[in-house]
Amino acid sequence: MQAAEGRARTEVQNRQAAEARTNELHTREAELLDEVRHLVSDRLPALALHLISSHHPVPGLLHKSLAGSEAAQLLDALPEAVSGIVLKERRRIDAAARAALRGATQESQALSYRLQTNIVGLQHEFSAPPRLTQSLLESDHINEQNLRLTQRSAIVCGGWPGHVRKDTYVSEVVSGASSRLRGFDRINIVSRLGLSNIGVVGRAAEPVAVICAELMANALEHSRDDLMVDVGLVQTGNGSVCITIDDAGKGMTSEALARGRSLISGEQQEVLLLELGDPPSMGFAAIGRLVADYGLHVSIDTSSPYGGVRAVVSVPENLLTSIDENATPPSVMAPQPAVAPQAHKRPVAADSPAHSPAPTGAAALPQRRRRFSATATNDDAAAAAPRPLNPEDTGAMWSDFQSGLTGDRSVTDSESTL
């Protein structure tokens, strides 16, 4: 009897244990199904957004009780595998896109340089009337803007700047960069270089011009049309030359500033076109590639005295050189270095005594003394100092010269020239 009761209790216990294991298996199965649904509906879509922007978090497991199990490890390994596959495929597609864009931009660059050569040749035709000359100048400027955009795209895609230059004055590099921009008349360039013959070596002249053009274009774009952009040239104590660009625009957000600093630092080994927005903003990316290739340094900050953004381009001493101003005079359009004002001393007459005794007594009469004209002194100083060049006066003189040449020609002669 007791044996039968023992067997009955054992059977009941076994049946209860089997039911508990069955319930546990059903629970574990339901949790796994929930995790799979969570993986498909939540984790993988969040992973896709995270690959676009790191601000989107990727959720973890739904049931913490599965942590550490083999099933949890497999569920966590799947997003990592998908991420690796997606990134690898993205790099392959981006490399193909950059190769195609690089080939197209190189051909476009070559055609733009040929067009520029032809336009410059037409500008030197003195027989052209002023209206045609003005149209040629405008066409040349439009071609310069198009060439800058093409050049920027080529640099981002791994191409070279596409233009070989000789050693060039720092002031000419900066003024030439401003001439490539729409709204160049809003750029005020002031040279504070101690020496006017400081130049950039030929291999770095065009990269420095590209960097300055992109920073000035960014300053013009983010400030009103009635606001100026101040550009200063300063030589530092360590021998480098700093180019400062200050605008009075609306500034940059902290996120945009951090993103811009990351791009221009040159520390990113590879910048994907997909990461530059739609349409791609390639200015900072092109600067970063040139910084990494030529050893330059560029910084951006919100410490502009006008409340906007300040950008500083530092050209190290090893990329600078001295240019013989007699053999290669600077361009008339380049800004002249600022000279500190000097006080003029009043000249002393050679025939006047060094110390004349003052008359005493009642018979003392007023003495007439020789006075030297301050105008003559100022004229001598003005003749010794170089006269600042004004681009508007130069352009007016050139227009008058062309008008004089065309004034003596007949209408038939002008039409045959065109």
Side-chain angles (χ1 to χ4, degrees), residues 1-11:
M1 186 69 180
Q2 293 178 353
E5 291 178 355
R7 286 194 298 272
R9 283 195 301 271
T10 302
E11 290 178 359

Side-chain angles (χ1 to χ4, degrees), residues 79-101:
E80 295 179 1
V82 171
S83 176
I85 294 172
V86 171
L87 290 178
K88 184 178 180 180
E89 187 65 14
R90 177 187 291 181
R91 293 190 183 95
R92 186 189 69 82
I93 296 174
D94 196 85
R98 281 189 281 114
L101 184 58

Side-chain angles (χ1 to χ4, degrees), residues 53-314:
S53 175
S54 59
H55 297 286
H56 297 279
V58 180
L61 294 175
L62 189 62
H63 299 282
K64 302 300 181 182
S65 60
L66 295 176
S69 63
E70 182 179 2
Q73 295 177 0
L74 293 175
L75 290 172
D76 289 336
L78 181 60
E80 295 179 1
V82 171
S83 176
I85 294 172
V86 171
L87 290 178
K88 184 178 180 180
E89 187 65 14
R90 177 187 291 181
R91 293 190 183 95
R92 186 189 69 82
I93 296 174
D94 196 85
R98 281 189 281 114
L101 184 58
R102 182 171 59 250
T105 53
Q106 288 177 349
E107 294 180 1
S108 179
Q109 270 185 289
L111 293 176
S112 295
Y113 280 125
R114 290 178 58 185
L115 177 60
Q116 186 181 42
T117 303
N118 292 339
I119 294 176
V120 171
L122 291 174
Q123 290 175 7
H124 286 83
E125 291 290 337
F126 297 145
S127 58
R131 292 182 59 184
L132 178 57
T133 302
Q134 181 66 25
S135 298
L136 291 175
L137 292 174
E138 294 175 357
S139 300
D140 188 16
H141 189 220
I142 294 174
N143 185 60
E144 283 278 1
Q145 298 176 54
N146 176 68
L147 185 58
R148 182 182 70 85
L149 299 178
T150 305
Q151 186 182 39
R152 180 181 64 183
S153 302
I155 293 173
V156 172
C157 295
W160 68 298
H163 184 49
V164 179
R165 303 175 65 166
K166 59 182 180 180
D167 297 348
T168 310
Y169 293 99
V170 176
S171 56
E172 289 189 5
V173 170
V174 178
S175 60
S178 66
S179 67
R180 305 176 182 182
L181 306 175
R182 181 182 179 184
F184 64 93
D185 52 335
R186 294 167 49 203
I187 298 177
N188 179 36
I189 304 175
V190 178
S191 176
R192 298 183 180 89
L193 298 175
L195 300 175
S196 60
N197 64 337
I198 301 177
V200 184
V201 296
R203 63 185 179 89
E206 185 64 17
V208 172
V210 172
I211 292 176
C212 292
E214 293 304 324
L215 293 175
M216 287 188 286
N218 186 72
L220 291 173
E221 182 180 356
H222 291 87
S223 57
R224 295 199 314 265
D225 294 341
D226 59 337
L227 298 176
M228 299 293 293
V229 174
D230 286 346
V231 180
L233 310 180
V234 182
Q235 188 174 15
T236 63
N238 59 7
S240 63
V241 169
C242 288
I243 305 168
T244 61
I245 302 170
D246 292 300
D247 66 72
K250 57 185 179 181
M252 301 176 66
T253 63
S254 57
E255 181 180 357
L257 187 62
R259 174 63 173 167
R261 287 173 175 172
S262 176
L263 288 174
I264 66 175
S265 65
E267 297 177 355
Q268 290 185 280
Q269 299 296 328
E270 183 180 11
V271 179
L272 301 181
L273 295 178
L274 299 174
E275 299 175 349
L276 300 179
D278 184 17
S281 300
M282 298 185 178
F284 284 169
I287 292 174
R289 183 171 288 273
L290 293 176
V291 165
D293 291 344
Y294 293 91
L296 302 165
H297 182 268
V298 180
S299 64
I300 54 175
D301 201 352
T302 56
S303 61
S304 173
Y306 311 112
V309 175
R310 161 167 286 190
V312 181
V313 183
S314 179

